[in-house]
Amino acid sequence: MKRLLVTGGLGFIGSYFVDLALKRGYRVVNVDKVTYAARRDLDFERRPGYEFIRADICELTHLPVGVEYIVNFAAESHVDNSIRANQDFFHSNVRGVYNLLELVRAKDETDQPVFVQISTDEVYGTVREGSSKETDRLNPSNPYSATKAAADQLVRGWANTYGLRTIIVRSCNNYGYGQYPEKLLAKTIEFFLEGRKMTIHGDGSYRREWLYAGDNVEAILLLIQKGTVGEIYNVSSNEEHSVLEAARMVAAAMGRDPDESFDFIPNRPGQDLRYSTDCSKIRALGWRPTRTLADYLPEYVELYRRKLGL
Ligand SMILES: NC(=O)c1ccc[n+]([C@@H]2O[C@H](COP(=O)([O-])OP(=O)(O)OC[C@H]3O[C@@H](n4cnc5c(N)ncnc54)[C@H](O)[C@@H]3O)[C@@H](O)[C@H]2O)c1
């Protein structure tokens, strides 16, 4: 069975990926620094084929033997944090990727794993009309997306110069149970369960595509099986809602009056107006999202109620 090195596998999307990979019979070595964002409710340690290394990807000095793929989820991931204090973003999102690429390069060519970099649609910046293609110019707008774009460029540079085998996956905004409640939908559910109003940056009109994390990790695993090394793949749902529309859907799913549920605060600097990606490349491999936000929300709210013992 293939052995995968997953980084950031205790984080939101990484944990969905580790779960899926173990279910499909892969062996997984999970390297995670266990930051504030790491999940504490997982049972991976009890599952066969799982190993855990608590480490910072910047400080790893060698790669485990016999690993065929590295799937790099490890990152600082919250835009607001990156605006307040960007050092950790440069550290994990840029230096961390540099270190991993160098560790791959240090291995004998016959033993080098494929490096799968988990990137984001935010690297393209605002797309007012149409959708970004994988070949489009990167145009990041905030420290988070700038560090992710820098990482993508490192991956391309190391592939072109040193012949590393790489795949870059750029996915849109993910949602699902287990997301740290700094992100919009998790925070909105938590605030509403506490009887509070949710705060919205600006007028909430900026548009995002919303993708269930379980669908995203199916796409990533498919790329490990069928993706072409050297390529970049967008992964998106084409389900587009403004931030306010998505938050109002949560209010409606929780039986609240959406007109009485929000306070509006000054917008973030560097706020992108719209992200949209063309994901025909991954769809040509047979991948489709299986969930929509509207159909997942009741389940999401129920899982959250149980988590909080309500
Ligand atoms: N959340 C989204 O909607 C979204 C969308 C597109 C792309 N992405 C990308 O997907 C990846 C995962 O995002 P997420 O939302 O699951 O993140 P997350 O913040 O929930 O989890 C990140 C995980 O990485 C670990 N980590 C952070 N820095 C580390 C380091 N230096 N060394 C080792 N481990 C470290 C943390 O402990 C945590 O477990 C990120 O690379 C992010 O940029 C996220």
Side-chain angles (χ1 to χ4, degrees), residues 7-15 30-40 53-59 72-78 88 91-93 96 117-122 144 148 169-175 178-180 182-183 209 211 216 220 235:
T7 71
L10 297 183
F12 166 50
I13 306 173
S15 64
N30 179 15
V31 174
D32 198 300
K33 181 179 171 182
V34 193
T35 69
Y36 75 96
R39 293 180 66 178
R40 268 78 178 168
I53 300 171
R54 183 172 187 158
D56 185 323
I57 54 169
C58 296
E59 285 160 19
N72 181 39
F73 292 94
E76 290 296 330
S77 66
H78 190 45
D88 288 349
H91 174 86
S92 295
N93 302 5
Q117 169 64 6
I118 304 304
S119 183
T120 164
D121 60 356
E122 298 199 25
Y144 164 70
K148 294 298 289 185
V169 188
R170 295 187 182 139
S171 77
C172 65
N173 210 11
N174 281 222
Y175 59 83
Q179 190 165 34
Y180 194 78
E182 61 194 352
K183 306 279 179 13
E209 286 181 274
L211 175 65
N216 187 16
I220 296 166
V235 177

Side-chain angles (χ1 to χ4, degrees), residues 96-199:
V97 171
Y98 168 78
N99 190 43
L100 292 174
L101 292 169
E102 283 291 274
L103 291 175
V104 175
R105 185 164 84 90
K107 282 186 100 83
D108 189 274
E109 264 177 43
T110 56
D111 192 29
Q112 287 181 349
V114 176
F115 187 82
V116 182
Q117 169 64 6
I118 304 304
S119 183
T120 164
D121 60 356
E122 298 199 25
V123 297
Y124 297 115
T126 288
V127 196
R128 287 178 189 273
E129 280 172 23
S131 299
S132 306
K133 287 191 181 300
E134 288 87 348
T135 46
D136 283 1
R137 189 170 70 92
L138 305 190
N139 188 24
S141 302
N142 59 59
Y144 164 70
S145 53
T147 59
K148 294 298 289 185
D152 284 13
Q153 304 290 34
L154 290 179
V155 172
R156 301 290 283 172
W158 264 239
N160 289 330
T161 305
Y162 303 118
L164 263 59
R165 293 177 300 148
T166 63
I167 295 176
I168 296 174
V169 188
R170 295 187 182 139
S171 77
C172 65
N173 210 11
N174 281 222
Y175 59 83
Y177 182 75
Q179 190 165 34
Y180 194 78
E182 61 194 352
K183 306 279 179 13
L184 181 82
L185 297 183
K187 188 170 172 181
T188 304
I189 294 174
E190 204 160 297
F191 271 35
F192 289 169
L193 288 174
E194 289 166 0
R196 299 161 68 184
K197 284 187 173 184
M198 176 63 186
T199 47

